């Protein structure tokens, strides 16, 4: 009986930890709210993740899921360089969404590559909510 109770407690703690946002995500979302964005929507983030965008620099439409895949738990591959991309889901890749500076760096690079512009605070917040869920 003690083993079952211990396993249940561990399971609840692991679930609670996985469901909570990282301090870096909390910091960024607070900053985006201060800039006037919000409320944030995982559904909006998912739609934008899958939506085709013409970035103005080429004729090919781009979307986040072309490189990162539709399933955030899967490895992706950069469409141009063919470089392997680790899963986006923090539940699979513990390095994801842990550093503010790194998150902002990749937002800047990937938004410009995909959209042809930087993402808005609203878009970034929606993406973060989608990715962490």
């Amino acid at each position: 009986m003690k083993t079952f109770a211990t396993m249940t407690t561990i399971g609840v703690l692991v679930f609670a930890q996985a469901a909570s946002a990282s301090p870096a995500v909390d910091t960024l979302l607070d900053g985006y709210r201060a800039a006037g964005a919000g409320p944030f929507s995982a559904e909006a983030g998912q739609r934008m993740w899958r939506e085709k965008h013409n970035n103005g620099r080429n004729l090919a439409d781009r979307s986040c899921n072309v490189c990162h895949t539709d399933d955030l738990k899967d490895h992706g591959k950069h469409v141009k360089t063919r470089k392997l991309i680790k899963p986006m889901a923090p539940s699979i890749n513990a390095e994801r969404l842990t550093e503010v500076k790194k998150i902002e760096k990749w937002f800047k690079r990937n938004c410009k590559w995909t959209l042809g512009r930087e993402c808005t605070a609203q878009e970034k917040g929606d993406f973060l909510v989608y990715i962490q869920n």
Side-chain angles (χ1 to χ4, degrees):
M1 188 66 171
K2 285 184 180 180
T3 303
F4 177 74
T6 302
M7 294 303 289
T8 302
T9 302
I10 290 170
V12 169
L13 290 173
V14 168
F15 176 76
Q17 183 179 15
S20 67
S22 76
V25 170
D26 290 339
T27 297
L28 288 168
L29 292 177
D30 287 345
Y32 302 151
R33 283 185 197 99
F40 302 114
S41 163
E43 292 79 19
Q46 182 181 42
R47 272 192 312 275
M48 192 160 176
W49 184 265
R50 294 178 175 165
E51 186 178 325
K52 298 282 186 195
H53 306 275
N54 184 328
N55 68 11
R57 292 192 304 257
N58 62 22
L59 299 175
D61 290 334
R62 294 184 178 173
S63 65
C64 303
N65 66 352
V66 168
C67 294
H68 292 284
T69 77
D70 253 351
D71 186 348
L72 301 178
K73 295 177 182 178
D74 286 342
H75 281 84
K77 191 180 286 188
H78 192 280
V79 72
K80 189 173 180 181
T81 67
R82 309 306 297 161
K83 182 178 176 181
L84 187 68
I85 301 170
K86 292 181 182 178
M88 293 298 295
S91 61
I92 302 297
N93 180 359
E95 297 171 16
R96 281 292 178 226
L97 306 181
T98 58
E99 298 176 42
V100 169
K101 198 171 186 178
K102 194 182 257 188
I103 295 168
E104 285 291 358
K105 168 190 151 184
W106 285 108
F107 267 140
K108 187 173 185 175
R109 185 176 295 176
N110 287 335
C111 289
K112 283 185 173 185
W113 193 84
T114 305
L115 305 175
R117 61 172 174 80
E118 290 190 34
C119 287
T120 66
Q122 183 68 48
E123 291 166 338
K124 291 177 187 180
D126 291 341
F127 276 132
L128 287 176
V129 171
Y130 168 59
I131 293 168
Q132 74 181 2
N133 291 330

